[in-house]
Amino acid sequence: MASLVSHPDEVKVVTRRFGLGATNIDRYLELDGYKAVQKALGMDADAIINEVKNSGLRGRGGAGFSTGMKWSFVPKQSAKPKYVLCNGDESEPGTCKDRLIFEHDPHAVIEGVMIGGLAVGARSGYIYIRGEYRYLSIIMQKAIRDAYAKGFLGKNIFGSGRDFDIYWHGGAGAYEVGEESALMESLEGKRGIPRIRPPFPAVVGLWGGPTVINNAETLASVPHIMLGGAEWYAKIGPPKNGGTRLFCLSGNVAKPGVYELPMGYSLKKMIYEVGGGIPNGRSLKAVVPGGSSTPCLTADEIDINMDFDSVAKAGSMLGSGGVVVLDDQQCIVKFALRTMKFYQHESCGWCIPCREGTDWLKKTLIRFHSGGGVKKDIDNMQYLSENMLGRTFCPLGDAAAMPTIAFVKKFRKEFEDHLDGRPCPYEKAGVAEEMEALSH
Amino acid sequence: MKFSEEFEARFAEMVPHYPTKRSALVPTLLYAQDEVGFLSDEVIAELAGRLDLTELEVRNVISYYSMLTTKPRGKFNLQVCTNISCLVRGGEEILQHCAKKLGVGHKGTTPDGLFTLEEVECIGACSWAPAAQVNYDFHENLTTEKMDRVLDKCLAQAQEQLQRIKSVDSLADTLSQRSEG
Amino acid sequence: MADVTLTVDGKKVTAPAGTLLIEACKTVGIEVPSFCYYPNLSLQGACRMCLVKIEKMPKLQTACTTVISEGMIVTSDSEEIKQARKSMLEMLLGNHPLDCPVCDAGGECELQDMTFSYGAAESKFMEAKNHKDEQQWSPVVFFDRPRCILCYRCVRVCGEGMDVWALGVQNRGVSSIIAPNKEDHLECEECGMCIDICPVGALTSGAYRYKTRPWEMKHVGTICTHCGDGCKTTLGVRRADTGMEIVRGDNRDKSGTNGDFLCIKGRYAFDFANHEERLTQPLIRKEGKLTPATWEEAFQLIGKKFAEVRDRDGGSAIGVIGSTRTTNEESYLLSKFARMVLKTNNVDHHRTADFPAFAAALRGKADATASMADVFTAPAILLIGNDPTEQHPLLAWQIRNNVRLHRSRLYVINSQAIKLRRQATNFMQIPAGAEGKVAAFLAGDDAAADAIINSSSTKDQWNSLRDTLRGEQNLVIAFGSEILGSDLSSLVTFGSAIAGAKFVCLADYANSRGAADMGLYPDLLPGYHPISGSSEFHTEWGEIPQAAGLDLSGMVEAASTNKLKALYVVGSNPIGRLKIDSFAFSNSFVVVQDMFLTETAVVADVALPAANAYEKSGTFTNTCGDLQLVKKAGEVTGTKADFEMIVRIADAMGFDVRKLVPIGGGTHADMGQSRGAQSGEADRHAVWLEAHGLEPKLSPFDPMAILDEIQRLVPGYDVSRMNLLAGNSQHTSLAKAGPGVAHRPESISPANDTLFSSGTLGHYSRALKSVMESHEVKPAEVAAD
């Protein structure tokens, strides 16, 4: 449904089969489908893990942890069943890539889950898809059924004597469930409240069994690594940042879309060449480089490479690949408010700093944006955010605090321009109030 | 209570996928809601019974997930995203336009019971912003005009259904008159 | 477990491996603050107050979820940590309504205390606070939603502790809210644990809210007067026109065997004491009507009448019915008064368990009874009969939490599917009335199996259960009043073969065990010594009637043939509770001491207004045999303790009360003859006092004087006085008790009280009544997670 774009700089790995009808299992097979898992069946578990480790594949959900390492934490022996979980609860604002993977290449995800299962010794996997993506659930359920029908799933897969089951599971609207332990709670039929760690999911996860949980894009990359080899994959990107990344370019760019670019691709080029630059003769004000949780970069800070380590060095995060571009007409205060409104709405409420901090910040930002701000609000917003940072029960608090700190620090002037009853310089009078009355 | 055969088949297939019964709860609630329109007391009691949970536990779960509701909603649940990517491309204008056109606010339902308007968080259509969902259908790269067309289509669909019901009713009337005659 | 050594703030801390950091800190006096952490409940990590710095960890860590490890270096107090705590409180106070001046918890609020210790004086919050209206969840539970800080203690204590699971968390984010199981109200056991455990004033008690300020009350830790479990309850009292009014019952004193636990009765059902129908002056029947009179008038009349009957018709024409809710001292005194002064053995009380048979079976067996504390630690428990959830809520709590926290194995044998089956390793349902056969089967009578097998169990299962039980060690065997007489003895025979096995005989009412131990029987003296034998009591009490007297039904029969001329009822309501014909005693002179005009008091010739156990001092023995101190909390002007009334009646009969109550320095005066010691011997009582470092008591109304005698003479009561006075429970022993006697099974009639009823007391408790009315439908059982 969502339209596809392309650019010559793209390196098509995960998107290779997009638009080629690969939801059809036979078509998928023609396009090298299920070859990777068959290869993996011939390897021992450690070899699979090493291959993934050497590929430099890092988690595409946002944290960027080495996938091979994560798999290696799962104990070899376990009294309880082990599980592989695909996190398809994509809901980080600015991110819309897993949606395309499920829509165009569901079998790649299935294959990735299977390979993960072989690597850690699991015999079943679950693919969790957010509730809003109903049409993708239908696609995925059909893909799973087709794979069973072919004998690729179930008993004695590919005649290997091994069994593997995959089930679909659906969410019902909760950003927090994208956090791995909250997702397990949700899958167990509970409220999506994260779990205390340790123990980590690799040791005690779903229903108490060792569990490996990876983002859909991560898992969809795995079959390509198995076929193309770790070395090939690693070389696509800079050291320790193997492969490609699905960048979801959105906001004020001429050609928004999901582009698969090599890791380490220049952000500047991404905006101005791949994305076609800022339309309507406007200029760039800021970029949110990796989904709403990542600190924004100013127009002066975009001369960086989009890989985990380079973006971290620039004081932000590569995150989930959601690149949101803001032109000079966008109000940073409004943007900060909308971001905080999101976290306030999505906080699970479990811990004090996240629950109360996001609510307080949202209220202050609403008041501030509509002209009721006072000077000490600016410091207080920074104070609250800094006191949430690193002290919440799960990363959602950090995700709310980090961008806020960046907005206040980098655009303090713009905050000050809202002071003392002045209307928002970027908005028509009364619009903010109207929105306030209308929104949740 | 009675659900459709499709629901029952899906439920029967889903429960054995998990080592604990309650694991099927979240997706089951959404399917039940799709069928009934909302999660009524009756639905809650029924699913609690089936999954060996208390009604309290089911309510705790329902109230956590933003898509689940215990209150009736319009036939078309219009969910307009105003999150960051949509915001910078006019998502709020779309929401305000819908609010004016339908005469309802956030989570308001039109008196005819056709539309419920909701401002929602990111629906994963960022690169095609601004976007909205009508029930489960995505509508992307929206303008107010395009939004109008979407709403008109919903209206037409509702009217067509109404017409069908009316014609069935009048057919029934005719038949009954004939049998009386 | 092996010990682990770590460093906290430069101090070396050694604790067993597996200890949580927050607990390890406590052991060296370092307090790490927290709201959500609560010992013995599951971990939350939610309030973030306990953040500490652990070396090599980049972020601050929660001490409540961190398990200590060897060599760990921890800082619990630094600028960074102070700031973290301060900001948590600032954020918490943002939406918290600062209505402390009218909040019930004001003055005893953990949020106030924390803010005082770690908070900020400056308020940064300029926004509108989120508001939600207060809700009433039950007659006794109110929830002020905005005050809630979401520590989830209530949810956990209700679910994990009580196995009720009536509270949940709904919504999310800042809208998160604690919710009751029936949408807008609770359907639960109404224990009120959620209120007690609430660190703030979010959950408040319907019985207490807006009544007073915590600092205006005096807090007295005493023993609950309802069931036989002996929970410690803290009564908040304040001055009132009528004396000292009890305004609150709670569990702030967690020093009792009940720890955190209290049920609805211990928490709310003190209100009978404040009931407006309390008798506050003596009543004498004049021209057929009970008419107010003076105390002097009443005692003179009673003294005259009792002496007349005794001297004319003999002591056997007088009956005495004691109480299961008076103190040990009062029961002992009554027993002694009956024998020595009234010269009668017609003594009885409302029996709800076969303690004489229990004592007989355990005679000579040391350490054969389990204390309430043992029930929480025993590796295995066998429960036959009874429904502790309803009848022994503390015992049920101890069992449940032993299973939950120590993985104790619970074996339940019951004719009903009682709630504790949910904790049971093995639950066997038997036909009603077959409990005795279970005892026989366990003791080796294979033929008894036929009577206990039904559709839900097979002979093999029973054999296997018996084998399993035989293989247990330190098994606690608790049984209800279904097991009596020879069955009880069979059960003890079975249990005695298990190493370390201990027994609990379950009786109803707060001091049933005391009434039995103190000899409120027609044929037994204190300590289960037969009346017709010889014992220290025979020696010390002097001349007492040697033939066994009449039990209650015998007294009723004697009254019907005009042989019972006088009846003395102390704190008992046999007509109301035991279905005795209200005309049964119409030809007898009846004296009743009670709080209310009960069904028995209305037929009295003299009704004396009595104080209840919350209004006097003494001791109670719970059903397990744990002796505990009862402290005076409330006072209603115009009432007297039963103790004083008994002494005054003896005095009015012309009896030297010094022979009844050992007071004063006897050695100078009569070398102990006044207390029954034989002429020329030293005063045994004075010698005992001397040996125990105790002073002679001076007032004839001092129950401690009788406690001295009890401790001196009643077998098994020679426990540490120091510990007793310190408020600790002291387990008594039956090993040296007298031989007991066999009684007719019909003489025992269980109270059949539920969680919400409490005999006559329950009748006058508005709290219990209102809960019963709101629970027209019995709570449905709920699934545990």
Side-chain angles (χ1 to χ4, degrees), chain C residues 263-528:
Chain C
C263 79
I264 175 170
K265 293 180 209 172
R267 190 179 310 280
Y268 308 109
F270 57 80
D271 59 346
F272 63 84
N274 306 334
H275 199 282
E276 70 272 14
E277 286 174 33
R278 276 293 290 272
L279 294 176
T280 53
Q281 50 187 335
L283 301 172
I284 295 176
R285 190 168 298 280
K286 289 176 183 163
E287 294 164 12
K289 272 168 85 178
L290 284 171
T291 313
T294 65
W295 281 103
E296 211 46 48
E297 204 183 334
F299 287 136
Q300 285 311 318
L301 175 66
I302 299 165
K304 189 173 133 252
K305 282 281 192 180
F306 279 178
E308 243 173 52
V309 174
R310 177 194 61 195
D311 299 341
R312 186 184 63 223
D313 304 302
S316 62
I318 307 176
V320 174
I321 296 167
S323 175
T324 50
R325 278 178 172 142
T326 51
T327 62
N328 287 326
E329 293 67 30
E330 290 168 329
S331 293
Y332 182 95
L333 182 68
L334 184 65
S335 182
K336 190 176 178 184
F337 169 78
R339 270 86 191 204
M340 282 179 75
V341 185
L342 298 179
K343 298 284 179 197
T344 181
N345 279 330
N346 300 339
V347 178
D348 207 349
H349 69 285
H350 179 176
R351 310 176 196 177
T352 60
D354 198 352
F355 286 119
F358 189 53
L362 293 182
R363 197 162 191 237
K365 294 186 167 69
D367 301 322
T369 50
S371 68
M372 198 52 98
D374 291 335
V375 179
F376 179 59
T377 54
I381 300 163
L382 167 64
L383 174 68
I384 307 178
N386 202 275
D387 182 358
T389 308
E390 294 280 336
Q391 295 160 287
H392 290 276
L394 171 60
L395 187 93
W397 165 270
Q398 299 287 79
I399 293 174
R400 268 197 312 270
N401 288 293
N402 190 2
V403 171
R404 178 172 68 95
L405 299 167
H406 310 136
R407 295 167 189 270
S408 174
R409 294 167 297 280
L410 172 66
Y411 306 92
V412 174
I413 300 172
N414 207 293
S415 64
Q416 304 295 316
I418 60 169
K419 193 178 151 205
L420 275 173
R421 76 180 188 285
R422 296 169 20 159
Q423 276 71 34
T425 315
N426 195 332
F427 168 62
M428 300 291 262
Q429 196 159 359
I430 53 167
E435 291 82 359
K437 293 288 182 191
V438 170
F441 172 78
L442 291 176
D445 176 5
D446 285 335
D450 295 338
I452 55 179
I453 291 169
N454 62 8
S455 56
S456 65
S457 62
T458 64
K459 186 150 186 180
D460 283 349
Q461 283 174 317
W462 280 103
N463 283 328
S464 133
L465 173 64
R466 185 168 62 186
D467 291 343
T468 307
L469 290 169
R470 282 173 177 159
E472 289 288 359
Q473 284 192 346
N474 302 319
L475 176 73
V476 164
I477 302 173
F479 56 92
S481 57
E482 296 90 340
I483 293 188
L484 306 165
S486 58
D487 295 331
L488 196 162
S489 132
S490 302
L491 187 61
V492 170
T493 306
F494 158 73
S496 300
I498 297 168
K502 292 179 178 181
F503 297 86
V504 178
C505 174
L506 296 172
D508 308 319
Y509 302 124
N511 204 24
S512 282
R513 175 65 183 270
D517 285 357
M518 298 306 128
L520 289 179
Y521 288 106
D523 47 0
L524 291 172
L525 291 168
Y528 306 96

Side-chain angles (χ1 to χ4, degrees), chain C residues 11-29:
Chain C
K11 282 189 195 175
K12 282 259 175 284
V13 183
T14 303
T19 305
L20 292 168
L21 181 53
I22 196 168
E23 289 291 343
C25 288
K26 264 187 215 167
T27 63
V28 290

Side-chain angles (χ1 to χ4, degrees), chain C residues 45-119:
Chain C
C47 76
R48 319 305 288 175
M49 283 300 291
C50 68
L51 291 172
V52 293
K53 180 82 193 158
I54 300 173
E55 225 166 69
K56 293 188 191 130
M57 302 266 207
K59 293 178 181 179
L60 297 180
Q61 302 291 314
T62 45
C64 74
T65 60
T66 304
V67 174
I68 56 168
S69 61
E70 189 63 42
M72 195 181 245
I73 298 174
V74 181
T75 308
S76 84
D77 191 16
S78 68
E79 283 313 310
E80 183 191 16
I81 292 164
K82 272 186 199 146
Q83 176 54 39
R85 289 173 187 168
K86 180 177 136 186
S87 67
M88 287 316 149
L89 289 163
E90 284 173 324
M91 289 193 238
L92 208 46
L93 291 174
N95 275 317
H96 190 83
L98 298 173
D99 59 347
C100 312
V102 293
C103 175
D104 272 351
E108 44 188 29
C109 166
E110 292 178 37
L111 180 56
Q112 278 185 340
D113 295 347
M114 293 257 208
T115 307
F116 189 78
S117 305
Y118 306 101

Side-chain angles (χ1 to χ4, degrees), chain B residues 134-147:
Chain B
V134 176
N135 299 338
Y136 291 108
D137 296 336
F138 281 87
H139 299 278
E140 296 163 340
N141 298 309
L142 287 170
T143 57
T144 49
E145 295 76 32
K146 202 171 164 189
M147 193 74 239

Side-chain angles (χ1 to χ4, degrees), chain A residues 79-389:
Chain A
K80 289 192 170 177
K82 302 182 208 176
Y83 300 99
V84 178
L85 248 171
C86 167
N87 185 345
D89 190 55
E90 175 169 78
S91 29
E92 171 85 3
T95 316
C96 49
K97 61 186 178 68
D98 297 340
R99 192 178 147 193
L100 290 185
I101 298 171
F102 290 129
E103 186 175 328
H104 293 278
D105 204 3
H107 288 285
V109 178
I110 294 174
E111 230 187 313
V113 171
M114 293 173 80
I115 295 165
L118 294 173
V120 302
R123 287 176 54 178
S124 45
Y126 292 84
I127 297 173
Y128 188 111
I129 299 180
R130 69 180 295 195
E132 291 87 344
Y133 288 175
R134 171 58 60 86
Y135 79 106
L136 300 176
S137 290
I138 294 167
I139 292 171
M140 183 52 78
Q141 287 174 29
K142 179 176 186 305
I144 293 171
R145 268 199 305 277
D146 292 346
Y148 270 102
K150 295 261 186 207
F152 300 167
L153 286 172
K155 297 259 176 252
N156 190 21
I157 52 170
F158 298 101
S160 65
R162 297 162 82 165
D163 305 338
F164 201 83
D165 287 302
I166 289 184
Y167 310 107
W168 159 88
H169 191 91
Y175 168 72
E176 177 64 350
V177 166
E179 194 280 339
E180 55 185 29
S181 65
L183 188 139
M184 292 176 198
E185 288 285 297
S186 178
L187 213 160
E188 291 181 12
K190 300 172 190 165
R191 297 161 56 79
I193 307 290
R195 296 175 177 176
I196 292 170
R197 273 151 309 163
F200 290 92
V203 182
V204 180
L206 202 55
W207 302 295
T211 304
V212 61
I213 173 165
N214 292 119
N215 171 260
E217 183 187 346
T218 312
L219 288 166
S221 304
V222 168
H224 300 290
I225 293 168
M226 295 313 291
L227 289 181
E231 204 180 331
W232 157 77
Y233 188 81
K235 276 192 179 150
I236 297 174
K240 292 183 188 161
N241 286 271
T244 59
R245 187 82 215 251
L246 268 62
F247 289 102
C248 321
L249 203 49
S250 74
N252 305 123
V253 283
K255 289 188 273 179
V258 177
Y259 299 92
E260 183 169 21
L261 295 164
M263 276 283 195
Y265 194 80
S266 155
L267 176 58
K268 201 171 195 172
K269 271 173 83 179
M270 198 187 295
I271 297 168
Y272 288 101
E273 292 180 23
V274 178
I278 318 294
N280 307 322
R282 290 178 189 153
S283 61
L284 177 71
K285 181 185 264 185
V287 188
V288 174
S292 63
S293 309
T294 58
C296 68
L297 301 169
T298 63
D300 302 337
E301 296 172 325
I302 60 163
D303 211 352
I304 58 166
N305 294 336
M306 293 291 273
D307 58 75
F308 288 107
D309 301 322
S310 304
V311 184
K313 230 167 114 185
S316 187
M317 290 162 76
L318 189 63
S320 60
V323 180
V324 188
V325 179
L326 281 75
D327 69 20
D328 54 18
Q329 296 300 297
Q330 301 301 330
C331 171
I332 287 293
V333 176
K334 174 76 186 211
F335 196 85
L337 158 60
R338 188 61 189 84
T339 303
M340 191 50 66
K341 212 169 100 170
F342 168 71
Y343 289 107
Q344 190 264 5
H345 187 257
E346 299 298 330
S347 164
C348 79
W350 188 250
C351 73
I352 294 170
C354 177
R355 178 180 76 233
E356 300 295 336
T358 55
D359 189 52
W360 188 339
L361 284 164
K362 173 191 153 183
K363 284 174 177 167
T364 303
L365 279 160
I366 288 176
R367 176 168 54 77
F368 196 92
H369 180 250
S370 56
V374 292
K375 195 152 188 295
K376 73 171 188 181
D377 285 331
I378 304 174
D379 291 332
N380 195 41
M381 285 188 265
Q382 192 173 337
Y383 172 86
L384 285 172
S385 306
E386 281 170 353
N387 279 289
M388 288 163 70
L389 200 62

Side-chain angles (χ1 to χ4, degrees), chain A residues 99 126 169 192 251 438-439, chain B residues 17-18 64 89 106 119 140:
Chain A
R99 192 178 147 193
Y126 292 84
H169 191 91
L438 188 58
S439 57
Chain B
H17 290 174
Y18 311 98
Y64 177 88
R89 293 182 78 97
H106 173 61
E119 182 195 30
E140 296 163 340

